[in-house]
Amino acid sequence: MSGKMNIFTYITELADYGTASGITDRRDRTYVINSLLAALDLTCYQAPDTMPPARPLHLILEDIISFAAGNGIIPSDSSANRDLFDTMLMGILTPAPSVVEETFRKLYSEDPVKATDRFYDLCRKTNYIRIDRIARDIKWKAPTEYGNLDITVNLSKPEKDPRDIEAAGKIQSSSYPKCLLCPENEGYRGTISHPARQNLRLIPVTLQGEEYFLQYSPYIYYNEHCIIINKDHIPMKIDRDTMAKLLDFVRLFPHYTAGSNADLPIVGGSILSHDHFQGGRYEFPMARAPMEEMFTVKGFDNITAGTVKWPMSVIRLQGDDPEDMVSCAERILNAWISYTDEDTFIYAYSEDGTRHNTITPIARRTEDLKYELDLVLRNNITTEEHPLGVFHPHAEYHHIKKENIGLIEVMGLAVLPGRLASEMEYLTEALLEGSDISSIEVIAKHAQWVSGWRDDYDLSDKDKIENAIRREIGISFARILECCGVFKRNPEGRQALGRFIGSI
């Protein structure tokens, strides 16, 4: 009976968490308890005589999952099965989509900030945003010639459990939902290969007459990291409508930034099959970067235009009229799509007609509520020397990062692989002990990089070494972004950028 008494305590803790946090109405407490009992294959309940002090949500869930695993309620104690089960539990506590939307609409009529504040808070309290895991990420700001860049070593996404990989290979594939971004994920129970989403809630948003949904990322990389998804499963496309929708979004939510990944492989995001944007309430390093060379786009005298002091090639537009901003951005986009400059190895098309030029657009409002668009020029051409992309992180930086540079990193926030956490620790010990880094297998790939800067620092104690490593990772991230810049930040590159601007 003691085991059941413990689970009754855990169930009561979870129900009490729901009411105390405000995600569950007190009127629904009995309903929630009975639903939790059903999920755990229990038919009776006895309220505990005494309750322990309030605990963090993830600890309560861990105890309930351990009970479920020990009693055969979930197939195994693998990470995927644990996530599927705890999401189902939290789905019981999460208000219905209609209730969430009604609350959002009511608050939006008072103030958009109040609406997003409440919605974001809900997504954190329902564990859709897994705060305990996000806290594992290592973050710092790195000074560079482009200002402070944001660096994140991503430890929040769990590694694949071998048992889950094996199980995923045995299940029948399904096309429902079609992808991780489809609105049909709202309430979906999930599978070993597709995360559960019973605690996901979406807010309908109309952009330029088309239906989109606002949600938050479960693994937020910055404050209020949101995703704006198209109702329909249609591929990403950068065109006039994209610019109009981004500006429409920041009109509706002037306290948010919104941007789109590029629509081509290599320079695009990880999901190109579903039209979506990303945004949030965060000032990215790019937004702080000043304009450098000012120019006028013919026919748009009311729009301020200029290049940006940034490692990538960026044109910034500022204005009061979103329609004119869209038209100006469309002209720049169309000029860039067809632009070739052999001297800088920019080719609009391959001989087989494959397109290479596109743009990563970012929209925001300034302090005086002007509209601002940053248009980042991208090109995804490859060569034998650079098979992953000429304007992609070059091989000399692959020990830091070799993955695509998408929207978030374009704006100055590095999302670096989790392996770097342990490698930074090994590097610190090796430098402290004076060891030969090239002879240590796990960090040998960093040896040449370290040799290029170790003599520039006082590495006499652990703190100084850690600071040096973090600073140099930041500098390397700036160099990675420079690799992705189509016009290099040297006299020849500036002249070439000037030629493109002259062609607009």
Side-chain angles (χ1 to χ4, degrees), residues 48 82 90 111 250-251 483:
R82 293 178 73 90
M90 292 308 299
D111 182 357
V250 297
R251 176 186 63 82
C483 290

Side-chain angles (χ1 to χ4, degrees), residues 12 159 206 239 292 310 348:
T12 306
E159 295 184 4
T206 301
D239 56 14
E292 286 186 310
W310 196 244

